[in-house]
């Protein structure tokens, strides 16, 4: 929806800061804190370790019992200690990532940032994606160096460089590709380059990278992280940002920044930068979509880094559960002794069961976060949109009827679109369910779910509308952000606030667009899926 014409300069400045990634970073960090809480799982292990140690000693003192019982619990305690170490590493990753991005919060005064520390932090964040894609070659100039621009600008430029470079290389054979990161001093400036091997960028794309509307083809999964907003701010500081590439010979991302501290508040947007978007609602919408792609990329990096550690936690807890069950079964052959240990064994088993439940839920969230940008490959075919919608809606009829009456307005003839049948079903299913649950949480009724299809100008348009309270004006720009869930309407199959964001990422991979419109609060919402004709 186009912003009303009375929006003043402050509003446009606020939008530019958000699309740069300031608020997106804080959103990811804050919701990551809420969703994961690895330290709360860690605290649960402390009484477990104590109880296992006490049981082990008590069993060793019973000479009439087989020694293997105490050995089982000793092994369980060792595995639980390893689980504790993995949780501590998870928590350390969480804190480091949080400190990396929160230094850019608009609510804190800008502080000098060391270039090499920032680079190392970004590389650690991208480690999960890097280790499956390329070898890392670092060539840093000696010593430390602070650069102008502050942490917000520096972190986001470097993150975009690294992720775009990785996505220009085909993952799966890390020995084949190289990610190079290099820093050099050039008088009163410092040059940072991030290079990659691989196919590089087509010349017709390379010449248009400063245009946020350009579509950049990638051999890997995920989407291109736009550089235009960062480029504008770098140039306003007296620096330079550019990309070089030759087909078949990789690409090099470069930024040249003045050395030293910024002599003004980095959160004040220069007028020449603001002029690039002020009054241009379509450009702002595209840049906001790019901002969400950055948020998705950050969330996926968290997930990739944590998944191996979570696997270690799950394995350790399963081992503990198995050993405790075996000990309990063995003690049942000694009824006169079981009563002495039963209460503690039950307590340990309950702790382990609760922790495994939390780990399972976290595993589901990590999988879904990864799918924000890394979806399993699926065959691309010519799709009948009406047939796919029918497959989605039929099993949901009872759910729909409990909430609203359905109004269907399908085009008589609708061209096919290219894509994955399963992925498009996922999009329709989650948009419809979000609309249904939004209406369930809206007091007024009766409600109506609308489904409408049309085609024109080379695109197929699918509109799914509801009569919910709609989005508030302050909520609408964030409707497709990962984790955004106004008033906790519904968590969805993909975890808290992930369904719509994952749907947008799927539609983007099909060359389309997902938009959300609410004319005004209390008058419902329309979700539009626009796809190119196949």
């Amino acid at each position: 929806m186009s912003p009303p014409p009375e929006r003043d300069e402050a509003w446009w400045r606020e939008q530019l800061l958000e699309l740069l990634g300031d608020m997106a970073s804080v959103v990811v960090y804050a919701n990551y804190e809420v969703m994961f809480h690895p330290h709360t799982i860690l605290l649960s292990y402390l009484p477990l370790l104590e109880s296992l140690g006490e049981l082990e000693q008590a069993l060793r003192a019973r000479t009439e019992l087989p020694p293997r019982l105490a050995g089982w619990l000793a092994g369980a305690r060792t595995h639980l200690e390893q689980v504790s170490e993995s949780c501590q590493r998870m928590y350390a990753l969480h804190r480091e990532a949080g400190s990396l991005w929160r230094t850019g919060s608009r609510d804190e005064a800008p502080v000098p940032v060391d270039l090499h520390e920032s680079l190392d932090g970004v590389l650690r964040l991208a480690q999960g994606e890097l280790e499956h894609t390329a070898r890392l070659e670092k060539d840093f100039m000696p010593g430390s160096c602070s650069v102008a621009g502050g942490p917000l600008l520096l972190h986001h430029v470097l993150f975009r460089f690294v992720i775009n470079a990785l996505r220009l290389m085909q993952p799966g054979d890390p020995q084949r590709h190289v990610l190079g990161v290099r820093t050099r001093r050039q008088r009163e400036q410092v040059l940072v380059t991030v290079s990659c091997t691989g196919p590089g960028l087509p010349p017709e794309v390379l010449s248009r990278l400063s245009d946020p509307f350009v579509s950049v083809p990638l051999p890997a999964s995920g989407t291109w992280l736009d550089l235009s907003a960062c480029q504008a701010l770098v140039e306003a500081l007296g620096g330079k940002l550019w990309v070089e590439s030759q087909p078949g010979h990789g690409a090099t991302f470069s930024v040249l920044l003045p050395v030293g501290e910024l002599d003004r508040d980095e959160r004040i947007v220069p007028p020449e930068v603001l002029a690039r978007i002020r009054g241009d609602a379509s450009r702002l919408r595209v840049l906001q979509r790019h901002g969400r792609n950055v948020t998705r990329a950050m969330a996926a990096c968290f997930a990739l880094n944590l998944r191996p550690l979570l696997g270690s936690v799950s394995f350790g807890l399963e081992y503990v559960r198995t050993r405790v069950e075996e000990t309990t079964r063995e003690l049942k052959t000694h009824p006169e002794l079981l009563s002495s240990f039963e209460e503690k064994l039950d307590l340990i088993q309950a702790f382990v069961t609760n922790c495994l439940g939390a780990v399972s839920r976290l595993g589901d969230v990590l999988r879904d976060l990864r799918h924000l940008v890394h979806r399993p490959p699926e065959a691309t075919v010519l799709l009948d949109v009406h047939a796919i919608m029918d497959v989605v809606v039929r099993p949901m009829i009872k759910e729909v009827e409990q909430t609203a009456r359905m109004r269907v307005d399908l085009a008589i003839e609708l061209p096919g679109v290219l894509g994955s049948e399963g992925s498009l079903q996922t999009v329709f299913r989650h948009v419809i369910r979000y609309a249904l649950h939004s209406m369930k949480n809206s007091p007024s009724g009766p409600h109506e779910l609308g489904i409408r299809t049309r085609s024109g100008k080379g695109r197929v348009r699918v509109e799914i509308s509801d009569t919910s309270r709609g989005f508030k004006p302050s909520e609408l720009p964030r409707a497709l952000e990962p984790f955004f869930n106004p008033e906790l309407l519904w968590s969805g199959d993909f975890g808290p606030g992930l369904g719509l964001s994952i749907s947008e990422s799927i539609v983007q991979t099909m060359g389309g667009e997902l938009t959300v419109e609410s004319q005004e609060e209390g008058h419902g919402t329309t979700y539009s899926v626009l796809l190119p004709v196949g």
Side-chain angles (χ1 to χ4, degrees):
M1 186 175 74
S2 301
E6 65 270 14
R7 297 297 192 187
D8 59 15
E9 183 168 319
W11 186 88
W12 289 98
R13 183 181 296 112
E14 187 82 1
Q15 304 309 303
L16 183 57
L17 280 169
E18 289 194 6
L19 65 88
L20 181 60
D22 180 13
M23 287 308 295
S25 303
V26 178
V27 165
V28 169
Y29 175 80
N31 285 277
Y32 180 80
E33 177 88 52
V34 169
M35 292 166 61
F36 294 97
H37 276 307
H39 56 289
T40 59
I41 300 176
L42 177 63
L43 290 175
S44 299
Y45 299 143
L46 300 180
L48 272 179
L49 285 169
E50 183 180 339
S51 296
L52 281 171
E54 292 172 356
L55 272 174
E56 179 192 343
Q57 294 305 316
L59 290 174
R60 288 191 189 281
R62 300 282 186 166
T63 56
E64 67 270 35
L65 292 174
R68 67 175 178 273
L69 295 186
W72 286 346
L73 293 186
R77 187 158 55 87
T78 298
H79 277 75
L80 202 56
E81 288 170 350
Q82 293 170 353
V83 165
S84 178
E85 291 175 5
S86 294
C87 281
Q88 289 177 21
R89 289 174 62 195
M90 290 169 64
Y91 187 55
L93 283 172
H94 163 228
R95 300 304 303 176
E96 180 182 40
S99 63
L100 175 69
W101 295 108
R102 290 181 75 244
T103 52
S105 171
R106 72 181 64 182
D107 298 324
E108 301 170 7
V111 295
V113 59
D114 183 271
L115 172 63
H116 293 160
E117 287 183 5
S118 183
L119 269 170
D120 282 334
V122 167
L123 289 170
R124 282 192 293 271
L125 181 61
Q127 181 61 37
E129 192 160 338
L130 173 61
E131 64 186 14
H132 295 292
T133 306
R135 292 178 289 111
L136 174 63
E137 293 184 358
K138 287 169 50 175
D139 181 12
F140 289 180
M141 62 184 179
S144 60
C145 178
S146 293
V147 295
L152 172 61
L153 177 61
L154 185 60
H155 292 163
H156 282 280
V157 169
L158 298 178
F159 183 73
R160 284 163 168 79
F161 277 11
V162 169
I163 297 300
N164 283 339
L166 288 172
R167 292 179 180 176
L168 284 172
M169 298 181 282
Q170 188 68 41
D173 188 2
Q175 295 306 310
R176 176 186 171 195
H177 290 296
V178 175
L179 178 77
V181 182
R182 186 172 182 264
T183 63
R184 286 294 183 270
R185 183 74 175 258
Q186 295 187 354
R187 296 184 180 178
E188 297 306 311
Q189 294 179 308
V190 62
L191 174 67
V192 183
T193 60
V194 176
S195 61
C196 65
T197 54
L201 291 162
E204 64 274 13
V205 171
L206 186 65
S207 62
R208 296 183 56 212
L209 288 183
S210 60
D211 180 1
F213 292 90
V214 69
S215 177
V216 181
L218 297 174
S221 59
T223 53
W224 175 265
L225 302 186
D226 176 62
L227 298 173
S228 61
C230 289
Q231 181 182 32
L233 288 173
V234 166
E235 292 174 355
L237 293 171
K240 184 180 178 184
L241 186 154
W242 70 100
V243 182
E244 299 169 290
S245 179
Q246 291 184 355
H249 296 279
T252 300
F253 301 79
S254 303
V255 63
L256 193 63
L257 287 169
V259 174
E261 298 180 21
L262 192 62
D263 59 1
R264 62 170 173 79
D265 189 331
E266 67 168 16
R267 294 162 293 180
I268 299 175
V269 180
E272 61 270 30
V273 176
L274 190 60
R276 297 195 181 194
I277 68 162
R278 187 177 180 184
D280 190 340
S282 61
R283 180 176 291 265
L284 176 60
R285 269 198 308 274
V286 171
L287 290 171
Q288 287 171 333
R289 186 175 72 242
H290 288 314
R292 292 192 295 273
N293 288 338
V294 173
T295 307
R296 281 190 274 267
M298 286 190 285
C301 283
F302 283 133
L304 285 170
N305 288 341
L306 286 180
R307 284 183 73 197
L309 292 172
L310 192 67
S312 173
V313 170
S314 180
F315 176 81
L317 288 173
E318 287 288 0
Y319 182 92
V320 173
R321 179 162 67 177
T322 299
R323 289 312 191 194
V324 170
E325 288 175 349
E326 290 172 339
T327 303
T328 303
R329 280 197 299 269
E330 185 75 27
L331 283 172
K332 284 181 178 179
T333 64
H334 301 271
E336 72 282 3
L337 298 177
L338 179 61
S339 59
S340 303
F341 302 105
E342 190 171 23
E343 184 177 350
K344 224 161 225 186
L345 286 167
D346 288 345
L347 176 63
I348 293 171
Q349 197 74 296
F351 262 119
V352 172
T353 300
N354 287 338
C355 288
L356 280 170
V359 167
S360 176
R361 291 190 296 273
L362 176 53
D364 291 341
V365 172
L366 291 183
R367 181 200 66 229
D368 298 332
L369 286 176
R370 186 173 181 271
H371 284 178
L372 283 168
V373 293
H374 299 281
R375 297 192 60 79
E378 297 177 284
T380 298
V381 296
L382 189 64
L383 302 176
D384 182 334
V385 172
H386 288 165
I388 290 176
M389 181 65 77
D390 185 63
V391 168
V392 170
V393 171
R394 280 185 181 276
M396 301 175 65
I397 287 295
K398 288 187 177 179
E399 185 179 356
V400 172
E401 290 175 346
Q402 292 172 358
T403 306
R405 68 182 182 88
M406 190 160 63
R407 174 177 49 82
V408 179
D409 179 10
L410 303 182
I412 297 175
E413 293 185 5
L414 197 69
V417 300
L418 285 176
S420 157
E421 182 175 348
S423 293
L424 192 55
Q425 286 179 11
T426 296
V427 172
F428 291 159
R429 184 178 300 114
H430 287 283
V431 173
I432 290 173
R433 281 186 173 161
Y434 196 93
L436 290 175
H437 283 268
S438 296
M439 288 187 285
K440 286 179 182 178
N441 285 271
S442 297
S444 60
H447 289 295
E448 181 179 271
L449 176 73
I451 298 176
R452 181 176 183 267
T453 62
R454 290 293 186 272
S455 65
K457 298 182 179 179
R459 296 205 295 185
V460 167
R461 184 184 191 95
V462 181
E463 295 179 355
I464 299 169
S465 59
D466 64 43
T467 53
S468 66
R469 72 164 178 83
F471 288 90
K472 298 176 183 176
S474 60
E475 296 171 344
L476 193 57
R478 299 181 56 201
L480 298 174
E481 281 184 6
F483 306 112
F484 183 66
N485 200 4
E487 300 180 15
L488 298 178
L489 285 180
W490 179 54
S491 62
D493 289 355
F494 282 112
L498 293 177
L500 289 181
S501 189
I502 289 177
S503 296
E504 184 188 33
S505 70
I506 293 173
V507 172
Q508 284 188 48
T509 63
M510 296 175 67
E513 182 182 2
L514 173 62
T515 65
V516 183
E517 294 182 85
S518 277
Q519 297 302 324
E520 58 180 287
E521 188 178 354
H523 289 75
T525 303
T526 299
Y527 307 87
S528 299
V529 179
L530 297 99
L531 297 168
V533 171

